Amino acid sequence: MGLSINQALGMSEDIRSHSESYMLDTEIMLSFAISKTKEYLRAHGEHILTELQEQQFQHMLQRRKLGEPIAYIVGKKEFWKFEFDVDKNVLIPRPDTELIVEVILELTKNKTSLKLLDIGIGSGCIILSILREKKGFYGVGI
């Protein structure tokens, strides 16, 4: 018999010593492995993972035990109101970096057009978040 969602969530203890947010990390990895929301996990604890889902989840747990960031494990990171692709070649956008977007949006709140240049963009989260908020703006990221 396979692993249930509740049993998989119980495996969060396996990464407790590797992460302060071990329960959230486990929910994120399990959600990713089974392509369901965290709300689904709570509502369907008896759901049994397929063999492939279980293998993927176990592999993700092992990567987390080795200290790999969740964003790299699942290949994405939320920033501002959006989700960005990340991997080992891109720095993970930090929550405090959202302050840059907030300040620029506040400083330009009365502008309908503006040209922006973002140098050293990485994931592109800063310039892309601004451009998504301000439809009349134009930007180049290098």
Side-chain angles (χ1 to χ4, degrees), residues 5-35:
I5 287 175
N6 283 340
Q7 290 170 322
L9 290 173
M11 296 172 77
S12 65
E13 290 296 321
D14 292 355
I15 60 170
R16 186 178 198 152
S17 62
H18 305 281
S19 172
E20 292 179 14
S21 58
Y22 63 96
M23 190 63 207
L24 177 60
D25 292 355
T26 305
E27 289 175 345
I28 291 169
M29 291 184 293
L30 184 57
S31 293
F32 184 83
I34 69 170
S35 300

PDB file of all heavy atoms in Angstrom, residues 5-35:
ATOM      1  N   ILE A   5      -1.210  11.240   1.874  1.00  0.00           N
ATOM      2  CA  ILE A   5      -0.826  12.638   2.064  1.00  0.00           C
ATOM      3  C   ILE A   5      -0.486  12.885   3.526  1.00  0.00           C
ATOM      4  O   ILE A   5       0.540  13.500   3.838  1.00  0.00           O
ATOM      5  CB  ILE A   5      -1.937  13.597   1.570  1.00  0.00           C
ATOM      6  CG1 ILE A   5      -1.966  13.608   0.039  1.00  0.00           C
ATOM      7  CG2 ILE A   5      -1.741  14.998   2.123  1.00  0.00           C
ATOM      8  CD1 ILE A   5      -3.089  14.429  -0.574  1.00  0.00           C
ATOM      9  N   ASN A   6      -1.327  12.397   4.447  1.00  0.00           N
ATOM     10  CA  ASN A   6      -1.055  12.605   5.877  1.00  0.00           C
ATOM     11  C   ASN A   6       0.274  11.972   6.296  1.00  0.00           C
ATOM     12  O   ASN A   6       1.028  12.559   7.071  1.00  0.00           O
ATOM     13  CB  ASN A   6      -2.189  12.054   6.734  1.00  0.00           C
ATOM     14  CG  ASN A   6      -3.398  12.968   6.734  1.00  0.00           C
ATOM     15  OD1 ASN A   6      -3.302  14.159   6.429  1.00  0.00           O
ATOM     16  ND2 ASN A   6      -4.551  12.412   7.057  1.00  0.00           N
ATOM     17  N   GLN A   7       0.553  10.792   5.777  1.00  0.00           N
ATOM     18  CA  GLN A   7       1.827  10.144   6.105  1.00  0.00           C
ATOM     19  C   GLN A   7       3.003  10.949   5.539  1.00  0.00           C
ATOM     20  O   GLN A   7       4.028  11.109   6.202  1.00  0.00           O
ATOM     21  CB  GLN A   7       1.848   8.711   5.558  1.00  0.00           C
ATOM     22  CG  GLN A   7       0.919   7.773   6.288  1.00  0.00           C
ATOM     23  CD  GLN A   7       0.777   6.437   5.571  1.00  0.00           C
ATOM     24  OE1 GLN A   7       0.742   6.379   4.336  1.00  0.00           O
ATOM     25  NE2 GLN A   7       0.700   5.360   6.346  1.00  0.00           N
ATOM     26  N   ALA A   8       2.837  11.436   4.327  1.00  0.00           N
ATOM     27  CA  ALA A   8       3.896  12.235   3.714  1.00  0.00           C
ATOM     28  C   ALA A   8       4.128  13.524   4.507  1.00  0.00           C
ATOM     29  O   ALA A   8       5.276  13.908   4.762  1.00  0.00           O
ATOM     30  CB  ALA A   8       3.536  12.557   2.261  1.00  0.00           C
ATOM     31  N   LEU A   9       3.052  14.164   4.931  1.00  0.00           N
ATOM     32  CA  LEU A   9       3.194  15.384   5.735  1.00  0.00           C
ATOM     33  C   LEU A   9       3.895  15.080   7.055  1.00  0.00           C
ATOM     34  O   LEU A   9       4.647  15.908   7.568  1.00  0.00           O
ATOM     35  CB  LEU A   9       1.831  16.035   5.976  1.00  0.00           C
ATOM     36  CG  LEU A   9       1.179  16.676   4.753  1.00  0.00           C
ATOM     37  CD1 LEU A   9      -0.237  17.137   5.084  1.00  0.00           C
ATOM     38  CD2 LEU A   9       2.023  17.829   4.220  1.00  0.00           C
ATOM     39  N   GLY A  10       3.654  13.898   7.593  1.00  0.00           N
ATOM     40  CA  GLY A  10       4.312  13.491   8.827  1.00  0.00           C
ATOM     41  C   GLY A  10       5.815  13.335   8.672  1.00  0.00           C
ATOM     42  O   GLY A  10       6.560  13.371   9.656  1.00  0.00           O
ATOM     43  N   MET A  11       6.260  13.228   7.447  1.00  0.00           N
ATOM     44  CA  MET A  11       7.696  13.089   7.182  1.00  0.00           C
ATOM     45  C   MET A  11       8.427  14.422   7.310  1.00  0.00           C
ATOM     46  O   MET A  11       9.646  14.486   7.157  1.00  0.00           O
ATOM     47  CB  MET A  11       7.916  12.472   5.796  1.00  0.00           C
ATOM     48  CG  MET A  11       7.366  11.047   5.724  1.00  0.00           C
ATOM     49  SD  MET A  11       7.384  10.376   4.056  1.00  0.00           S
ATOM     50  CE  MET A  11       9.113   9.973   3.925  1.00  0.00           C
ATOM     51  N   SER A  12       7.691  15.481   7.621  1.00  0.00           N
ATOM     52  CA  SER A  12       8.325  16.794   7.821  1.00  0.00           C
ATOM     53  C   SER A  12       9.369  16.724   8.934  1.00  0.00           C
ATOM     54  O   SER A  12      10.352  17.461   8.911  1.00  0.00           O
ATOM     55  CB  SER A  12       7.274  17.854   8.145  1.00  0.00           C
ATOM     56  OG  SER A  12       6.643  17.571   9.389  1.00  0.00           O
ATOM     57  N   GLU A  13       9.165  15.828   9.872  1.00  0.00           N
ATOM     58  CA  GLU A  13      10.129  15.666  10.970  1.00  0.00           C
ATOM     59  C   GLU A  13      11.516  15.284  10.448  1.00  0.00           C
ATOM     60  O   GLU A  13      12.518  15.596  11.076  1.00  0.00           O
ATOM     61  CB  GLU A  13       9.636  14.617  11.972  1.00  0.00           C
ATOM     62  CG  GLU A  13       8.428  15.063  12.780  1.00  0.00           C
ATOM     63  CD  GLU A  13       8.697  16.264  13.681  1.00  0.00           C
ATOM     64  OE1 GLU A  13       9.794  16.335  14.275  1.00  0.00           O
ATOM     65  OE2 GLU A  13       7.820  17.126  13.773  1.00  0.00           O
ATOM     66  N   ASP A  14      11.550  14.637   9.281  1.00  0.00           N
ATOM     67  CA  ASP A  14      12.823  14.223   8.688  1.00  0.00           C
ATOM     68  C   ASP A  14      13.723  15.411   8.337  1.00  0.00           C
ATOM     69  O   ASP A  14      14.940  15.261   8.264  1.00  0.00           O
ATOM     70  CB  ASP A  14      12.594  13.400   7.420  1.00  0.00           C
ATOM     71  CG  ASP A  14      11.961  12.044   7.696  1.00  0.00           C
ATOM     72  OD1 ASP A  14      11.786  11.686   8.877  1.00  0.00           O
ATOM     73  OD2 ASP A  14      11.644  11.348   6.715  1.00  0.00           O
ATOM     74  N   ILE A  15      13.094  16.571   8.098  1.00  0.00           N
ATOM     75  CA  ILE A  15      13.891  17.739   7.713  1.00  0.00           C
ATOM     76  C   ILE A  15      13.877  18.832   8.793  1.00  0.00           C
ATOM     77  O   ILE A  15      14.391  19.914   8.578  1.00  0.00           O
ATOM     78  CB  ILE A  15      13.436  18.329   6.357  1.00  0.00           C
ATOM     79  CG1 ILE A  15      11.974  18.783   6.397  1.00  0.00           C
ATOM     80  CG2 ILE A  15      13.693  17.335   5.231  1.00  0.00           C
ATOM     81  CD1 ILE A  15      11.547  19.583   5.193  1.00  0.00           C
ATOM     82  N   ARG A  16      13.314  18.516   9.936  1.00  0.00           N
ATOM     83  CA  ARG A  16      13.198  19.498  11.018  1.00  0.00           C
ATOM     84  C   ARG A  16      14.541  20.125  11.395  1.00  0.00           C
ATOM     85  O   ARG A  16      14.626  21.328  11.621  1.00  0.00           O
ATOM     86  CB  ARG A  16      12.549  18.860  12.243  1.00  0.00           C
ATOM     87  CG  ARG A  16      12.264  19.853  13.338  1.00  0.00           C
ATOM     88  CD  ARG A  16      11.581  19.201  14.522  1.00  0.00           C
ATOM     89  NE  ARG A  16      10.976  20.247  15.320  1.00  0.00           N
ATOM     90  CZ  ARG A  16       9.921  20.100  16.062  1.00  0.00           C
ATOM     91  NH1 ARG A  16       9.321  18.931  16.124  1.00  0.00           N
ATOM     92  NH2 ARG A  16       9.439  21.093  16.760  1.00  0.00           N
ATOM     93  N   SER A  17      15.583  19.320  11.446  1.00  0.00           N
ATOM     94  CA  SER A  17      16.892  19.841  11.839  1.00  0.00           C
ATOM     95  C   SER A  17      17.578  20.596  10.696  1.00  0.00           C
ATOM     96  O   SER A  17      18.613  21.217  10.905  1.00  0.00           O
ATOM     97  CB  SER A  17      17.799  18.707  12.329  1.00  0.00           C
ATOM     98  OG  SER A  17      18.021  17.783  11.287  1.00  0.00           O
ATOM     99  N   HIS A  18      16.988  20.580   9.509  1.00  0.00           N
ATOM    100  CA  HIS A  18      17.579  21.237   8.342  1.00  0.00           C
ATOM    101  C   HIS A  18      16.840  22.510   7.940  1.00  0.00           C
ATOM    102  O   HIS A  18      17.302  23.220   7.047  1.00  0.00           O
ATOM    103  CB  HIS A  18      17.599  20.281   7.150  1.00  0.00           C
ATOM    104  CG  HIS A  18      18.287  18.993   7.447  1.00  0.00           C
ATOM    105  ND1 HIS A  18      19.655  18.866   7.464  1.00  0.00           N
ATOM    106  CD2 HIS A  18      17.797  17.770   7.777  1.00  0.00           C
ATOM    107  CE1 HIS A  18      19.974  17.625   7.770  1.00  0.00           C
ATOM    108  NE2 HIS A  18      18.870  16.940   7.969  1.00  0.00           N
ATOM    109  N   SER A  19      15.699  22.777   8.584  1.00  0.00           N
ATOM    110  CA  SER A  19      14.887  23.915   8.165  1.00  0.00           C
ATOM    111  C   SER A  19      14.012  24.407   9.315  1.00  0.00           C
ATOM    112  O   SER A  19      13.350  23.619   9.975  1.00  0.00           O
ATOM    113  CB  SER A  19      13.996  23.503   6.992  1.00  0.00           C
ATOM    114  OG  SER A  19      13.073  24.517   6.683  1.00  0.00           O
ATOM    115  N   GLU A  20      14.006  25.720   9.507  1.00  0.00           N
ATOM    116  CA  GLU A  20      13.103  26.297  10.506  1.00  0.00           C
ATOM    117  C   GLU A  20      11.651  26.198  10.055  1.00  0.00           C
ATOM    118  O   GLU A  20      10.747  26.136  10.877  1.00  0.00           O
ATOM    119  CB  GLU A  20      13.471  27.765  10.751  1.00  0.00           C
ATOM    120  CG  GLU A  20      14.803  27.952  11.439  1.00  0.00           C
ATOM    121  CD  GLU A  20      15.148  29.411  11.642  1.00  0.00           C
ATOM    122  OE1 GLU A  20      14.274  30.282  11.499  1.00  0.00           O
ATOM    123  OE2 GLU A  20      16.324  29.673  11.954  1.00  0.00           O
ATOM    124  N   SER A  21      11.445  26.193   8.750  1.00  0.00           N
ATOM    125  CA  SER A  21      10.088  26.119   8.199  1.00  0.00           C
ATOM    126  C   SER A  21       9.818  24.729   7.625  1.00  0.00           C
ATOM    127  O   SER A  21       9.249  24.579   6.554  1.00  0.00           O
ATOM    128  CB  SER A  21       9.910  27.191   7.118  1.00  0.00           C
ATOM    129  OG  SER A  21      10.872  27.022   6.093  1.00  0.00           O
ATOM    130  N   TYR A  22      10.216  23.723   8.386  1.00  0.00           N
ATOM    131  CA  TYR A  22      10.167  22.342   7.894  1.00  0.00           C
ATOM    132  C   TYR A  22       8.771  21.889   7.478  1.00  0.00           C
ATOM    133  O   TYR A  22       8.613  21.172   6.492  1.00  0.00           O
ATOM    134  CB  TYR A  22      10.770  21.375   8.913  1.00  0.00           C
ATOM    135  CG  TYR A  22      10.042  21.315  10.228  1.00  0.00           C
ATOM    136  CD1 TYR A  22       9.095  20.334  10.463  1.00  0.00           C
ATOM    137  CD2 TYR A  22      10.296  22.251  11.233  1.00  0.00           C
ATOM    138  CE1 TYR A  22       8.417  20.273  11.671  1.00  0.00           C
ATOM    139  CE2 TYR A  22       9.623  22.198  12.431  1.00  0.00           C
ATOM    140  CZ  TYR A  22       8.682  21.215  12.653  1.00  0.00           C
ATOM    141  OH  TYR A  22       8.003  21.160  13.843  1.00  0.00           O
ATOM    142  N   MET A  23       7.733  22.312   8.193  1.00  0.00           N
ATOM    143  CA  MET A  23       6.376  21.892   7.831  1.00  0.00           C
ATOM    144  C   MET A  23       5.945  22.558   6.524  1.00  0.00           C
ATOM    145  O   MET A  23       5.400  21.892   5.640  1.00  0.00           O
ATOM    146  CB  MET A  23       5.392  22.219   8.964  1.00  0.00           C
ATOM    147  CG  MET A  23       4.033  21.620   8.774  1.00  0.00           C
ATOM    148  SD  MET A  23       4.111  19.811   8.755  1.00  0.00           S
ATOM    149  CE  MET A  23       2.704  19.434   7.762  1.00  0.00           C
ATOM    150  N   LEU A  24       6.186  23.857   6.414  1.00  0.00           N
ATOM    151  CA  LEU A  24       5.854  24.566   5.176  1.00  0.00           C
ATOM    152  C   LEU A  24       6.651  23.994   4.007  1.00  0.00           C
ATOM    153  O   LEU A  24       6.107  23.782   2.921  1.00  0.00           O
ATOM    154  CB  LEU A  24       6.135  26.064   5.330  1.00  0.00           C
ATOM    155  CG  LEU A  24       5.907  26.923   4.094  1.00  0.00           C
ATOM    156  CD1 LEU A  24       4.457  26.848   3.622  1.00  0.00           C
ATOM    157  CD2 LEU A  24       6.307  28.366   4.380  1.00  0.00           C
ATOM    158  N   ASP A  25       7.927  23.730   4.228  1.00  0.00           N
ATOM    159  CA  ASP A  25       8.757  23.138   3.176  1.00  0.00           C
ATOM    160  C   ASP A  25       8.158  21.818   2.697  1.00  0.00           C
ATOM    161  O   ASP A  25       8.084  21.556   1.494  1.00  0.00           O
ATOM    162  CB  ASP A  25      10.180  22.877   3.686  1.00  0.00           C
ATOM    163  CG  ASP A  25      10.967  24.143   3.958  1.00  0.00           C
ATOM    164  OD1 ASP A  25      10.469  25.248   3.676  1.00  0.00           O
ATOM    165  OD2 ASP A  25      12.094  24.017   4.473  1.00  0.00           O
ATOM    166  N   THR A  26       7.731  20.998   3.640  1.00  0.00           N
ATOM    167  CA  THR A  26       7.147  19.701   3.294  1.00  0.00           C
ATOM    168  C   THR A  26       5.867  19.885   2.489  1.00  0.00           C
ATOM    169  O   THR A  26       5.646  19.189   1.494  1.00  0.00           O
ATOM    170  CB  THR A  26       6.866  18.876   4.571  1.00  0.00           C
ATOM    171  OG1 THR A  26       8.083  18.765   5.314  1.00  0.00           O
ATOM    172  CG2 THR A  26       6.346  17.488   4.236  1.00  0.00           C
ATOM    173  N   GLU A  27       5.028  20.824   2.904  1.00  0.00           N
ATOM    174  CA  GLU A  27       3.785  21.092   2.164  1.00  0.00           C
ATOM    175  C   GLU A  27       4.075  21.558   0.742  1.00  0.00           C
ATOM    176  O   GLU A  27       3.421  21.120  -0.206  1.00  0.00           O
ATOM    177  CB  GLU A  27       2.953  22.149   2.883  1.00  0.00           C
ATOM    178  CG  GLU A  27       2.331  21.675   4.174  1.00  0.00           C
ATOM    179  CD  GLU A  27       1.616  22.792   4.924  1.00  0.00           C
ATOM    180  OE1 GLU A  27       1.834  23.986   4.610  1.00  0.00           O
ATOM    181  OE2 GLU A  27       0.835  22.472   5.836  1.00  0.00           O
ATOM    182  N   ILE A  28       5.059  22.432   0.589  1.00  0.00           N
ATOM    183  CA  ILE A  28       5.411  22.943  -0.741  1.00  0.00           C
ATOM    184  C   ILE A  28       5.907  21.805  -1.626  1.00  0.00           C
ATOM    185  O   ILE A  28       5.476  21.664  -2.776  1.00  0.00           O
ATOM    186  CB  ILE A  28       6.467  24.064  -0.636  1.00  0.00           C
ATOM    187  CG1 ILE A  28       5.843  25.309   0.012  1.00  0.00           C
ATOM    188  CG2 ILE A  28       7.046  24.399  -2.009  1.00  0.00           C
ATOM    189  CD1 ILE A  28       6.854  26.381   0.402  1.00  0.00           C
ATOM    190  N   MET A  29       6.796  20.986  -1.100  1.00  0.00           N
ATOM    191  CA  MET A  29       7.336  19.879  -1.899  1.00  0.00           C
ATOM    192  C   MET A  29       6.258  18.854  -2.248  1.00  0.00           C
ATOM    193  O   MET A  29       6.194  18.383  -3.385  1.00  0.00           O
ATOM    194  CB  MET A  29       8.499  19.207  -1.157  1.00  0.00           C
ATOM    195  CG  MET A  29       9.731  20.080  -1.071  1.00  0.00           C
ATOM    196  SD  MET A  29      11.162  19.267  -0.311  1.00  0.00           S
ATOM    197  CE  MET A  29      10.615  19.051   1.388  1.00  0.00           C
ATOM    198  N   LEU A  30       5.414  18.519  -1.283  1.00  0.00           N
ATOM    199  CA  LEU A  30       4.356  17.546  -1.538  1.00  0.00           C
ATOM    200  C   LEU A  30       3.344  18.101  -2.538  1.00  0.00           C
ATOM    201  O   LEU A  30       2.923  17.396  -3.461  1.00  0.00           O
ATOM    202  CB  LEU A  30       3.672  17.141  -0.234  1.00  0.00           C
ATOM    203  CG  LEU A  30       2.607  16.058  -0.339  1.00  0.00           C
ATOM    204  CD1 LEU A  30       3.178  14.783  -0.968  1.00  0.00           C
ATOM    205  CD2 LEU A  30       2.028  15.758   1.036  1.00  0.00           C
ATOM    206  N   SER A  31       2.970  19.365  -2.380  1.00  0.00           N
ATOM    207  CA  SER A  31       2.058  20.001  -3.338  1.00  0.00           C
ATOM    208  C   SER A  31       2.624  19.931  -4.744  1.00  0.00           C
ATOM    209  O   SER A  31       1.908  19.644  -5.702  1.00  0.00           O
ATOM    210  CB  SER A  31       1.815  21.471  -2.962  1.00  0.00           C
ATOM    211  OG  SER A  31       1.110  21.576  -1.770  1.00  0.00           O
ATOM    212  N   PHE A  32       3.912  20.209  -4.849  1.00  0.00           N
ATOM    213  CA  PHE A  32       4.575  20.165  -6.152  1.00  0.00           C
ATOM    214  C   PHE A  32       4.586  18.741  -6.705  1.00  0.00           C
ATOM    215  O   PHE A  32       4.274  18.516  -7.874  1.00  0.00           O
ATOM    216  CB  PHE A  32       5.998  20.707  -6.027  1.00  0.00           C
ATOM    217  CG  PHE A  32       6.726  20.786  -7.333  1.00  0.00           C
ATOM    218  CD1 PHE A  32       6.541  21.866  -8.176  1.00  0.00           C
ATOM    219  CD2 PHE A  32       7.593  19.780  -7.711  1.00  0.00           C
ATOM    220  CE1 PHE A  32       7.209  21.945  -9.390  1.00  0.00           C
ATOM    221  CE2 PHE A  32       8.264  19.846  -8.925  1.00  0.00           C
ATOM    222  CZ  PHE A  32       8.072  20.930  -9.764  1.00  0.00           C
ATOM    223  N   ALA A  33       4.922  17.782  -5.861  1.00  0.00           N
ATOM    224  CA  ALA A  33       5.036  16.389  -6.307  1.00  0.00           C
ATOM    225  C   ALA A  33       3.713  15.822  -6.809  1.00  0.00           C
ATOM    226  O   ALA A  33       3.698  15.018  -7.747  1.00  0.00           O
ATOM    227  CB  ALA A  33       5.578  15.515  -5.175  1.00  0.00           C
ATOM    228  N   ILE A  34       2.601  16.254  -6.203  1.00  0.00           N
ATOM    229  CA  ILE A  34       1.305  15.706  -6.610  1.00  0.00           C
ATOM    230  C   ILE A  34       0.471  16.698  -7.429  1.00  0.00           C
ATOM    231  O   ILE A  34      -0.668  16.415  -7.781  1.00  0.00           O
ATOM    232  CB  ILE A  34       0.491  15.176  -5.407  1.00  0.00           C
ATOM    233  CG1 ILE A  34       0.021  16.303  -4.493  1.00  0.00           C
ATOM    234  CG2 ILE A  34       1.279  14.121  -4.636  1.00  0.00           C
ATOM    235  CD1 ILE A  34      -0.978  15.860  -3.435  1.00  0.00           C
ATOM    236  N   SER A  35       1.047  17.866  -7.709  1.00  0.00           N
ATOM    237  CA  SER A  35       0.369  18.904  -8.525  1.00  0.00           C
ATOM    238  C   SER A  35      -0.979  19.316  -7.941  1.00  0.00           C
ATOM    239  O   SER A  35      -1.976  19.424  -8.651  1.00  0.00           O
ATOM    240  CB  SER A  35       0.191  18.426  -9.972  1.00  0.00           C
ATOM    241  OG  SER A  35       1.430  18.140 -10.554  1.00  0.00           O
TER     242      SER A  35
END
